[in-house]
Amino acid sequence: MRLLLALGNPGAKYRDTRHNIGWWLADRLALRWGAEPFRPGGATDGATAWTTGSGRSGVEIHKPLTYMNRSGEALAALLAARPAAPRLDPAADILVLVDDVALPAGRFRVRKRGSPGGHNGLASISASLDSDEYGRLRLGVGQPPDDRIDLAAWVLSRMSRAEEEEAVGAFPRAAEAVEYWLDHGVEAAMNRFNRPG
């Protein structure tokens, strides 16, 4: 069983923000695969996630409800709730769906490792796993147009209509990348879907 971990923040206040683009894609994947509705799941108080078996064999989709900065706690609870064997290999069996300000809206990149790069959700996951060796699908949300704009405020703001159309327009191909990862692994998905530049 493999895990898709879509990072975001729970609650209507955050639903439509750039930081929640991973949740947007998770919802599209669940719809694409005919999944059951997301439901609470997890092992410990404060570390639950909205979870679905996805409707596709061999994968679960999780949306942590711990808030972005504590995403690793939800992942730890999900892993602890699993049977002891077979043990998941994060490098091969986990793909994190995450926002990335270094990419413009409408672009995405598959990565098999890397530092959190200032992203608190990834930092929490890396700390939980004690490793940066896990897959991630980085979804572009663009950079602030002015360097005086606080980055935290930027990712917690809504995209313009044009940006959102660009971002959502990339979801069908991003979904194909996820499916290719499931069938062929992270390196093959990188080679097939990462555009130069």
Side-chain angles (χ1 to χ4, degrees), residues 40-57:
T44 61
D45 291 341
T48 60
W50 290 113
T51 299
T52 178
S54 86
R56 183 182 168 102
S57 177

Side-chain angles (χ1 to χ4, degrees), residues 28-47:
R28 300 312 195 283
L29 288 167
L31 184 64
R32 179 182 175 106
W33 295 340
E36 294 294 320
F38 282 94
R39 63 188 185 283
T44 61
D45 291 341

